[in-house]
Amino acid sequence: MNDKSLILAEARRKAEEELKALRTKTSRYTLLAIGFGLAIAVPISMLGTMLKFPFNLFPYVFLVIGYAGIKQYARVQILLPAEFTKQSIENEPQDASDYSERAGTLYAYGFYEAAVEDYRSALEMEPDSDQDWLDLAESLWELGQKDEAQSIVEKMSAAEGDYQGLALVLQGKFLAEEDPAAALKCFDKGIEIEPDYSYHRLSRIRFFLGRDRLGETAEAIEETTKVLKKQRHYQYHCAEIYEFRGTLASKQGRFTDAVRDFGWAIWNRSSEAEYHRLRGDAHEALGNLAKADADRKKAEILAGKRKHRF
């Protein structure tokens, strides 16, 4: 897809679909929460009336407060980021920040060439943006322009600064196939510099899994889970953690555990085709062919929605 206008139209369609799905999902979960709250509040209120308790309406007050809190959480944590993504595609870029934001959305939807174009535009306006340089490097890598991508991250990982840890982790990803030992040193150094940055730890787990270093994978999953829970960031990464647990279980032949873990990953991120495919493989290993077929069909449907249509 070379026509930028067609690319932007397709990206806009994807953003609108995702926002619509999230609105439906948050509405459903909010209604479920309210139903659960009523199931608790009504009996308590009735009991208060029977016992002539003067504050028997308190459960309903708490229910209203809880409803407002849930709606606010869904708005800020789930819907606003999706609306921001949609807006980044709809508006014509006016400055470096606009180009950078649109490039990030294009990258997320797999339009790497268009993302590179926008990152270069942003860097022409603000050449000192380290984040844009790293994002450009990652986009170039996806396009197969590895020499330029490696040159960027090597330079940035050698210089102290706010983005050194991120550059090291990205360099580790680039080196994973050709030099695993050097790659692991990059991951470890990145975590040493920024021990609380979840991206570094999750990237190292994926590296371990990709090399079948299963003992190190298990240790890293447990360590990372503890760090995320301590930071109260676990809910943002639990789908990926369950994916890792399921993949580890599959590699160890624990397919019942794998089905369970992939199921939790799907529950947290139901639109991810890969999770359905992985659970389908685990079902097949257990001989559950009908369930395996259902998961794979679902994966095909979800993957089809994410394909470029031009």
Side-chain angles (χ1 to χ4, degrees):
M1 185 190 293
N2 295 319
D3 190 318
K4 191 67 171 283
S5 62
L6 294 179
I7 292 173
L8 292 174
E10 175 66 357
R12 189 180 304 112
R13 183 194 64 79
K14 289 176 180 290
E16 289 171 350
E17 281 188 355
E18 291 185 359
L19 181 57
K20 181 179 178 181
L22 284 173
R23 283 174 175 157
T24 300
K25 185 175 182 179
T26 54
S27 296
R28 181 167 62 247
Y29 287 162
T30 300
L31 288 174
L32 285 172
I34 294 303
F36 179 76
L38 283 171
I40 296 175
V42 172
I44 292 176
S45 179
M46 291 177 65
L47 180 62
T49 300
M50 291 173 59
L51 298 176
K52 298 182 179 180
F53 185 64
F55 305 110
N56 61 311
L57 293 180
F58 269 15
Y60 295 106
V61 174
F62 287 122
L63 182 62
V64 171
I65 294 173
Y67 172 73
I70 291 170
K71 285 201 68 174
Q72 179 65 11
Y73 177 86
R75 172 68 180 163
V76 174
Q77 300 296 332
I78 300 174
L79 295 180
L80 272 182
E83 290 173 357
F84 181 80
T85 295
K86 181 172 175 284
Q87 186 178 2
S88 71
I89 292 295
E90 291 178 335
N91 297 338
E92 185 66 25
Q94 302 297 319
D95 54 25
S97 177
D98 291 343
Y99 275 108
S100 177
E101 289 162 2
R102 190 173 75 174
T105 300
L106 291 168
Y107 177 91
Y109 291 138
F111 299 113
Y112 304 123
E113 188 173 353
V116 165
E117 182 182 331
D118 274 359
Y119 280 130
R120 292 197 191 280
S121 296
L123 287 164
E124 285 178 5
M125 297 178 179
E126 293 185 10
D128 294 330
S129 175
D130 289 343
Q131 181 66 67
D132 285 343
W133 278 112
L134 287 177
D135 289 337
L136 172 62
E138 197 160 10
S139 301
L140 289 167
W141 183 266
E142 293 292 346
L143 282 175
Q145 298 179 27
K146 297 185 177 182
D147 289 343
E148 185 179 359
Q150 286 180 323
S151 176
I152 292 170
V153 297
E154 285 174 5
K155 179 180 178 181
M156 294 186 66
S157 63
E160 292 185 5
D162 293 340
Y163 288 86
Q164 184 183 20
L166 193 58
L168 281 161
V169 171
L170 196 54
Q171 187 178 13
K173 287 184 173 183
F174 293 172
L175 292 171
E177 294 296 332
E178 62 183 58
D179 194 345
L184 183 55
K185 288 181 180 178
C186 289
F187 288 124
D188 288 343
K189 183 65 175 177
I191 293 171
E192 179 185 336
I193 292 173
E194 296 175 316
D196 295 333
Y197 199 169
S198 57
Y199 175 79
H200 302 352
R201 294 180 180 275
L202 295 170
S203 297
R204 186 172 64 175
I205 294 172
R206 201 171 288 281
F207 166 80
F208 284 142
L209 274 174
R211 315 273 88 67
D212 286 333
R213 297 167 68 158
L214 304 187
E216 290 164 295
T217 298
E219 291 177 5
I221 288 174
E222 294 307 314
E223 178 186 3
T224 300
T225 300
K226 290 178 181 178
V227 170
L228 292 174
K229 287 182 176 179
K230 184 178 180 180
Q231 298 171 341
R232 298 183 180 179
H233 291 164
Y234 181 72
Q235 68 270 27
Y236 303 116
H237 303 287
C238 57
E240 198 167 4
I241 290 292
Y242 277 116
E243 175 203 347
F244 293 151
R245 290 184 184 278
T247 302
L248 176 62
S250 290
K251 287 178 177 287
Q252 293 176 330
R254 297 183 289 108
F255 296 108
T256 299
D257 291 341
V259 167
R260 180 199 63 210
D261 289 330
F262 290 136
W264 279 111
I266 290 168
W267 191 86
N268 282 280
R269 195 181 299 163
S270 60
S271 62
E272 182 58 57
E274 182 68 4
Y275 296 166
H276 290 274
R277 186 192 67 76
L278 289 168
R279 189 173 67 174
D281 291 345
H283 274 309
E284 183 177 36
L286 291 170
N288 302 327
L289 301 185
K291 292 181 178 179
D293 185 57
D295 264 336
R296 286 168 179 161
K297 286 182 178 177
K298 181 65 174 179
E300 289 177 4
I301 292 171
L302 291 172
K305 289 182 178 180
R306 300 190 69 86
K307 285 182 180 178
H308 308 166
R309 297 188 176 182
F310 295 91

Short mmCIF file of all heavy atoms in Angstrom, two decimals, residues 13-14 17 85-86 142 185 197 206 262 300:
data_model
loop_
_atom_site.label_atom_id
_atom_site.label_comp_id
_atom_site.label_asym_id
_atom_site.label_seq_id
_atom_site.Cartn_x
_atom_site.Cartn_y
_atom_site.Cartn_z
N ARG A 13 -10.10 3.41 9.86
CA ARG A 13 -11.13 2.38 10.01
C ARG A 13 -10.79 1.44 11.17
O ARG A 13 -11.66 1.08 11.97
CB ARG A 13 -11.23 1.57 8.71
CG ARG A 13 -12.32 0.50 8.73
CD ARG A 13 -12.16 -0.48 7.59
NE ARG A 13 -10.93 -1.23 7.72
CZ ARG A 13 -10.77 -2.26 8.54
NH1 ARG A 13 -11.76 -2.63 9.33
NH2 ARG A 13 -9.62 -2.91 8.59
N LYS A 14 -9.54 1.05 11.26
CA LYS A 14 -9.12 0.16 12.34
C LYS A 14 -9.31 0.82 13.70
O LYS A 14 -9.79 0.19 14.65
CB LYS A 14 -7.65 -0.23 12.15
CG LYS A 14 -7.39 -1.17 10.97
CD LYS A 14 -5.89 -1.40 10.81
CE LYS A 14 -5.59 -2.33 9.64
NZ LYS A 14 -6.01 -3.71 9.91
N GLU A 17 -12.98 0.88 14.60
CA GLU A 17 -13.46 -0.45 14.99
C GLU A 17 -13.03 -0.79 16.40
O GLU A 17 -13.81 -1.32 17.20
CB GLU A 17 -12.92 -1.51 14.01
CG GLU A 17 -13.66 -1.60 12.71
CD GLU A 17 -13.21 -2.79 11.88
OE1 GLU A 17 -12.26 -3.49 12.30
OE2 GLU A 17 -13.83 -3.04 10.84
N THR A 85 -5.86 7.65 19.93
CA THR A 85 -5.33 6.95 18.75
C THR A 85 -6.11 7.34 17.50
O THR A 85 -5.54 7.65 16.46
CB THR A 85 -5.40 5.43 18.96
OG1 THR A 85 -4.52 5.06 20.03
CG2 THR A 85 -4.99 4.68 17.69
N LYS A 86 -7.43 7.33 17.61
CA LYS A 86 -8.28 7.69 16.47
C LYS A 86 -8.03 9.14 16.05
O LYS A 86 -7.94 9.46 14.86
CB LYS A 86 -9.74 7.49 16.86
CG LYS A 86 -10.75 7.81 15.76
CD LYS A 86 -12.14 7.37 16.22
CE LYS A 86 -13.20 7.77 15.20
NZ LYS A 86 -13.52 9.21 15.26
N GLU A 142 11.60 -3.30 11.18
CA GLU A 142 10.45 -4.04 10.65
C GLU A 142 10.43 -4.03 9.12
O GLU A 142 9.94 -4.98 8.50
CB GLU A 142 9.15 -3.44 11.19
CG GLU A 142 8.95 -3.61 12.69
CD GLU A 142 8.73 -5.05 13.11
OE1 GLU A 142 8.46 -5.89 12.23
OE2 GLU A 142 8.82 -5.33 14.32
N LYS A 185 23.18 -9.46 27.44
CA LYS A 185 23.90 -8.40 28.16
C LYS A 185 23.18 -7.06 28.00
O LYS A 185 23.11 -6.27 28.95
CB LYS A 185 25.33 -8.30 27.64
CG LYS A 185 26.23 -9.46 28.06
CD LYS A 185 27.64 -9.27 27.53
CE LYS A 185 28.54 -10.43 27.95
NZ LYS A 185 29.91 -10.27 27.41
N TYR A 197 11.15 -0.42 34.83
CA TYR A 197 10.52 -0.26 33.51
C TYR A 197 10.06 -1.64 33.03
O TYR A 197 10.87 -2.50 32.69
CB TYR A 197 11.52 0.36 32.53
CG TYR A 197 10.91 0.99 31.30
CD1 TYR A 197 11.66 1.79 30.46
CD2 TYR A 197 9.57 0.80 30.97
CE1 TYR A 197 11.11 2.38 29.32
CE2 TYR A 197 9.01 1.37 29.85
CZ TYR A 197 9.79 2.16 29.03
OH TYR A 197 9.23 2.73 27.91
N ARG A 206 10.49 -12.55 26.67
CA ARG A 206 10.24 -13.01 25.30
C ARG A 206 11.53 -13.54 24.66
O ARG A 206 11.51 -14.50 23.89
CB ARG A 206 9.65 -11.86 24.47
CG ARG A 206 8.90 -12.32 23.25
CD ARG A 206 8.15 -11.18 22.59
NE ARG A 206 6.99 -10.75 23.35
CZ ARG A 206 5.82 -11.37 23.36
NH1 ARG A 206 5.66 -12.48 22.66
NH2 ARG A 206 4.81 -10.89 24.07
N PHE A 262 -3.73 -19.41 28.58
CA PHE A 262 -4.13 -18.71 27.36
C PHE A 262 -5.57 -18.22 27.47
O PHE A 262 -5.94 -17.18 26.93
CB PHE A 262 -3.97 -19.61 26.13
CG PHE A 262 -2.54 -19.88 25.75
CD1 PHE A 262 -2.13 -21.16 25.42
CD2 PHE A 262 -1.60 -18.86 25.74
CE1 PHE A 262 -0.82 -21.41 25.07
CE2 PHE A 262 -0.28 -19.10 25.39
CZ PHE A 262 0.11 -20.40 25.06
N GLU A 300 -8.47 -16.76 13.00
CA GLU A 300 -8.51 -16.34 11.59
C GLU A 300 -9.41 -15.12 11.42
O GLU A 300 -9.08 -14.20 10.66
CB GLU A 300 -9.01 -17.49 10.72
CG GLU A 300 -8.00 -18.63 10.57
CD GLU A 300 -8.56 -19.78 9.75
OE1 GLU A 300 -9.71 -19.63 9.24
OE2 GLU A 300 -7.89 -20.80 9.63
#
